[in-house]
Amino acid sequence: MPLLESIASPADLKQLDRAALKELCAELRAFIIDSVSRTGGHLASNLGVVELSVALHSVFETPIDRIVWDVGHQTYAHKILTGRRERMHTLRQIDGLSGFPKREESEYDAFVAGHSSTSISAALGMAVAAKLKGEERRVVAVIGDGAMTAGMAFEALNNAGAMDANLLVILNDNDMSISANVGALNSYLTKLLSGRFYNAMRSRGERLLANLPPIYELAKRAEEHVKGMVTPGTLFEEFGFNYLGPIDGHDLDALIPALTNIRQLKGPQFLHVVTKKGKGYELAEANPCLYHGVGKFKIEVGLEAKAAGKPTYTEVFGRWLNDMAAADERLVAITPAMCEGSGMTEFTERFPERYFDVGIAEQHALTFAAGLACEGRKPVVAIYSTFLQRAYDQLIHDVALQNLPVMLAIDRAGLVGADGPTHAGAFDISFLRCIPNMLIATPSDENECRRLLTTAYRHDGPSAVRYPRGVGPGAPIETTLEALPVGKGSVRRISSDQNANKRIAIFAFGSVVAAALQVAESLDATLADMRFVKPIDRELIRELAQSHAALVTVEENVVMGGAGSAVAEVLAELGITLPMLHLGLPDRFVEHGDPAILLTRCGLDAAGIQASIVASVKKILPE
């Protein structure tokens, strides 16, 4: 029987010797490749942490000891080792395993980590809580895949270094190489520096010299100087951590002794390990970015070229960005570490001097854009809806308050499918429309997206264009850079019913317009593609309210505070009272799965919209 099949929990790892653990790592890596090839998911990052996952669960007493993974897309090995191997075929599928840690899913998942750079803060909280409760528990934060570029990670380091909490931070460094000689030397040094003898002598020396401040300071500087010659850890030492490493993160003979020693140490510890994304799968090693997040694929072939078809909204944005940059030299493009995902690859090649990847630092991205706008540039910030949440204060205080022309190209608006609630763009309409000076556009198809991007870019103030993941209805796309009138919607269908007391008007926003149009055809209703949430088309709302008996709003955003609320506010100001139905995402976090199934479950497909209208609106109107 393969070794992997004998592992039901981390306790089983502790029965294996080092040779068997190495064999297990090979089986685990092959299993991950096979599993992800069947379900899709994050591949390269997970292949890079196989040995680290095995070592952690071998040394620490999980789940009593806590492991907080950051970012959470590197937890597949962790899931497999903690009793979920037989459910991996359901990964990211409807009602299946999440692609990220999930507390409700397993006691081994200490913290949800779909957004990066939260692990040190969370782990510090857990370590302090253990101390307050008098519990002998170790807490580990595994941070990597760019997560250390965010300011929150350094805020946590700064706080943790001042506390006497038993916290281990592991930097999973998969962006730098490590030579064999340096790796061997640093493995030896890490074993030495993490050993009890060295740390006991260090502690005793500190106590002895504490009463002799000049000599103590000299000794401390001498130690830092010696360690600084062979390790890059001065920064982390300055934060108050005991820095160890770097070591080869694929070498169990280095990892296990180091972790075993560190587990006995008190106070904040920092271990630097170097890993290779895509380790063990040649295609992923050669192009870890391409194999970061994948769909289903054939292992022997790898990812095949995408067949030509309808462009995605992301591709529509990418083409528009290049065209607008060619037309306006003031344009600069900013991304918080999502170049490929936001469709900016070609832009980086054509306009490298006007492209800025600020790392996983959404707050900085917005204020950096504000500074550029102050000096006459026209910043376009390409950002996922879910990540924009992290820069809300900067959007209000640094951009909107000063009415600066910073444009947000908001990708992944609405439900995102397999990535689930940590990545869903369910709230942006609600949290954006309450901000003064904002323009918010919601395109309903590919061509409208291009034109609204131009409209927002030319707006003299902060603006946002939100568009969903994937493809649209397939509208022909113009190549010009024509804007649309700001704050004006479009009536796509007018009811033929001559009796105003029976007419229904549907106000649809963005991605749901196509489904709402089907419903309007079926029910002989009027349909307005509103295009803008702010400024909203007050005249169109007044006109349709006066000529219809009931109104329906539809959006792929939470109902509370969303676009439907904006329509209701206009009617209240106009003193118009009509039966209204607001359709949108429910007041709960929508789980992962196929987007079409999720929309059906939320009642936002054509059948669901029609059923809701028939059940709650048509029944109150005269036959």
Side-chain angles (χ1 to χ4, degrees):
M1 180 176 72
L3 266 176
L4 186 58
E5 293 183 14
S6 68
I7 305 299
S9 74
D12 296 323
L13 295 176
K14 302 181 190 306
Q15 310 305 314
L16 303 179
D17 60 21
R18 194 73 55 78
L21 288 175
K22 293 177 182 178
E23 182 182 340
L24 176 68
C25 287
E27 291 183 18
L28 185 54
R29 184 167 275 114
F31 183 90
I32 290 173
I33 295 170
D34 180 69
S35 179
V36 176
S37 75
R38 299 170 188 270
T39 64
H42 292 96
L43 182 61
S45 56
N46 283 288
L47 294 178
V49 294
V50 168
E51 288 82 7
L52 181 58
S53 302
V54 168
L56 282 168
H57 282 294
S58 297
V59 172
F60 288 88
E61 297 294 335
T62 55
I64 297 172
D65 291 337
R66 315 293 198 216
I67 302 177
V68 181
W69 294 90
D70 186 354
V71 181
H73 60 228
Q74 55 183 341
T75 54
Y76 294 3
H78 159 81
K79 286 175 180 278
I80 294 165
L81 295 171
T82 54
R84 287 168 276 182
R85 173 176 51 83
E86 293 185 354
R87 294 190 63 208
M88 285 298 289
H89 69 281
T90 71
L91 185 73
R92 293 159 51 92
Q93 312 298 308
I94 199 87
D95 300 325
L97 291 178
S98 170
F100 300 94
K102 187 175 181 181
R103 284 168 57 85
E104 306 96 293
E105 186 177 290
S106 171
E107 63 179 338
Y108 292 93
D109 290 1
F111 199 76
V112 173
H115 290 183
S116 83
S117 316
T118 60
S119 61
I120 304 175
S121 298
L124 177 61
M126 294 174 187
V128 170
K131 183 178 179 181
L132 292 173
K133 293 188 291 182
E135 297 174 346
E136 283 296 320
R137 169 178 293 135
R138 294 296 183 267
V139 183
V140 183
V142 183
I143 183 167
D145 232 22
M148 193 59 88
T149 62
M152 184 175 177
F154 286 91
E155 292 175 20
L157 284 172
N158 185 54
N159 189 209
M163 294 189 180
D164 187 27
N166 295 326
L167 171 68
L168 168 60
V169 175
I170 298 178
L171 172 59
N172 172 28
D173 182 352
N174 53 23
D175 288 325
M176 63 173 281
S177 61
I178 181 168
S179 67
N181 290 335
V182 174
L185 172 62
N186 278 286
S187 293
Y188 171 75
L189 286 169
T190 300
K191 289 180 186 178
L192 175 66
L193 297 177
S194 66
R196 277 188 265 185
F197 175 77
Y198 169 81
N199 281 277
M201 291 298 293
R202 184 175 188 261
S203 179
R204 289 171 190 163
E206 286 179 350
R207 289 197 299 270
L208 179 64
L209 297 175
N211 295 323
L212 303 170
I215 299 177
Y216 172 73
E217 185 63 26
L218 178 63
K220 183 170 172 42
R221 290 185 180 180
E223 179 196 37
E224 290 175 353
H225 179 69
V226 171
K227 291 178 73 173
M229 287 192 297
V230 291
T231 68
T234 304
L235 171 65
F236 303 108
E237 292 276 3
E238 291 297 326
F239 276 120
F241 281 77
N242 180 37
Y243 173 89
L244 305 161
I247 61 173
D248 185 348
H250 300 298
D251 183 1
L252 289 181
D253 292 327
L255 280 172
I256 291 178
L259 291 172
T260 301
N261 287 335
I262 292 170
R263 192 175 185 278
Q264 308 305 315
L265 301 181
K266 302 292 186 180
Q269 310 293 322
F270 193 101
L271 176 62
H272 182 177
V273 303
V274 178
T275 62
K276 185 174 184 61
K277 291 187 75 170
K279 176 74 172 178
Y281 184 47
E282 186 176 348
L283 295 172
E285 285 189 29
N287 195 341
C289 184
L290 178 64
Y291 283 84
H292 173 72
V294 300
K296 299 177 183 179
F297 66 97
K298 296 178 181 178
I299 297 173
E300 62 278 9
V301 175
L303 297 177
E304 299 174 327
K306 190 178 81 170
K310 293 191 297 184
T312 64
Y313 280 102
T314 301
E315 290 169 337
V316 171
F317 164 72
R319 294 171 188 173
W320 171 86
L321 185 68
N322 290 319
D323 292 344
M324 184 57 77
D328 187 349
E329 64 180 12
R330 297 174 301 164
L331 185 151
V332 291
I334 301 166
T335 176
M338 296 304 297
C339 173
E340 294 80 11
S342 294
M344 304 172 75
T345 302
E346 184 180 344
F347 183 91
T348 68
E349 298 167 353
R350 292 182 58 184
F351 307 98
E353 72 285 352
R354 289 195 266 164
Y355 167 75
F356 303 96
D357 184 343
V358 300
I360 304 176
E362 294 86 359
Q363 294 171 295
H364 166 60
L366 266 291
T367 305
F368 174 57
L372 285 162
C374 284
E375 298 301 323
R377 299 297 91 185
K378 292 280 285 183
V380 176
V381 181
I383 190 167
Y384 289 9
S385 174
T386 185
F387 299 141
L388 177 59
Q389 295 164 185
R390 310 183 70 169
Y392 194 52
D393 177 64
Q394 287 68 31
L395 177 58
I396 294 174
H397 185 273
D398 300 335
V399 176
L401 180 64
Q402 303 182 88
N403 199 29
L404 293 171
V406 173
M407 174 185 158
L408 304 176
I410 305 177
D411 204 332
R412 271 64 166 178
L415 300 180
V416 293
D419 282 336
T422 62
H423 283 59
F427 312 108
D428 54 79
I429 289 179
S430 299
F431 70 66
L432 286 174
R433 77 177 194 85
C434 63
I435 302 175
N437 296 328
M438 285 296 303
L439 178 150
I440 310 167
T442 58
S444 62
D445 61 40
E446 299 89 338
N447 192 58
E448 194 168 272
C449 183
R450 181 178 173 94
R451 297 192 67 183
L452 286 174
L453 286 166
T454 300
T455 308
Y457 180 78
R458 291 177 177 166
H459 176 66
D460 188 21
S463 61
V465 182
R466 75 183 304 260
Y467 44 90
R469 183 176 194 171
V471 299
I477 303 174
E478 303 167 7
T479 58
T480 58
L481 293 170
E482 293 187 13
L484 288 167
V486 172
K488 294 297 180 183
S490 171
V491 177
R492 299 280 291 273
R493 187 186 189 280
I494 299 177
S495 172
S496 62
D497 198 318
Q498 298 302 308
N499 185 352
N501 292 325
K502 295 174 62 177
R503 289 196 209 111
I504 297 171
I506 303 173
F507 298 99
F509 295 82
S511 58
V512 295
V513 167
L517 182 58
Q518 294 181 45
V519 176
E521 295 282 355
S522 177
L523 299 180
D524 190 20
T526 294
L527 176 74
D529 171 1
M530 294 302 289
R531 289 179 175 164
F532 294 89
V533 175
K534 189 175 185 178
I536 200 162
D537 194 337
R538 295 170 59 88
E539 182 57 30
L540 181 57
I541 294 171
R542 183 194 62 77
E543 177 186 329
L544 295 184
Q546 291 177 339
S547 58
H548 291 75
L551 306 178
V552 178
T553 65
V554 192
E555 61 192 296
E556 196 173 339
N557 182 86
V558 292
V559 171
M560 288 193 293
S565 296
V567 174
E569 289 164 11
V570 171
L571 292 173
E573 290 175 11
L574 295 173
I576 298 175
T577 303
L578 282 177
M580 287 194 72
L581 172 65
H582 298 304
L583 300 178
L585 297 178
D587 183 27
R588 59 179 170 81
F589 292 104
V590 179
E591 293 299 333
H592 59 273
D594 180 86
I597 297 176
L598 296 179
L599 284 173
T600 297
R601 288 188 173 185
C602 293
L604 289 180
D605 62 341
I609 295 170
Q610 181 164 329
S612 295
I613 294 174
V614 170
S616 61
V617 177
K618 283 188 71 69
K619 70 178 183 181
I620 67 173
L621 300 180
E623 292 294 331

